[in-house]
Amino acid sequence: MPKLKKQNSKMKDIAEQVSIEDMNAIDIALSKIKKDARGRFMYSKHDALALLPFFNKYIDPKVGKNIFGCGGCVDKVMNKMFQLQKEWQNLTK
């Protein structure tokens, strides 16, 4: 199985486990995050940290609170959470 298909099926499995309350909270947090013209995320530190408990709960519990230290960690969290949101939106269609 190609890596992309395997990753998408894993995200689909995770999306099926997310509770309705968590979906609503994640949607609210993600709605505050925008992208600039170059595709980079524009966010406040508070909004990014609001996603971290859900990322830890559903995707990777090993990620610590210092997601701003390396630069790529916060992008990983954002990308995965947007991907998760897309998966559960596809589940309802």
Side-chain angles (χ1 to χ4, degrees), residues 55-68:
F55 185 82
N56 287 339
K57 183 176 180 180
Y58 293 109
I59 298 174
D60 188 0
K62 296 177 186 173
V63 175
K65 292 187 185 281
N66 189 17
I67 59 174
F68 302 100

Side-chain angles (χ1 to χ4, degrees), residues 13-47:
D13 293 341
I14 293 170
E16 291 172 350
Q17 298 173 4
V18 179
S19 68
I20 299 294
E21 294 83 16
D22 287 350
M23 283 183 190
N24 292 334
I26 293 169
D27 281 336
I28 290 168
L30 289 176
S31 69
K32 297 177 183 177
I33 297 166
K34 306 294 180 207
K35 285 191 174 186
D36 65 6
R38 294 183 177 177
R40 296 177 296 200
F41 290 111
M42 298 183 326
Y43 54 86
S44 70
K45 192 173 184 177
H46 179 268
D47 294 334

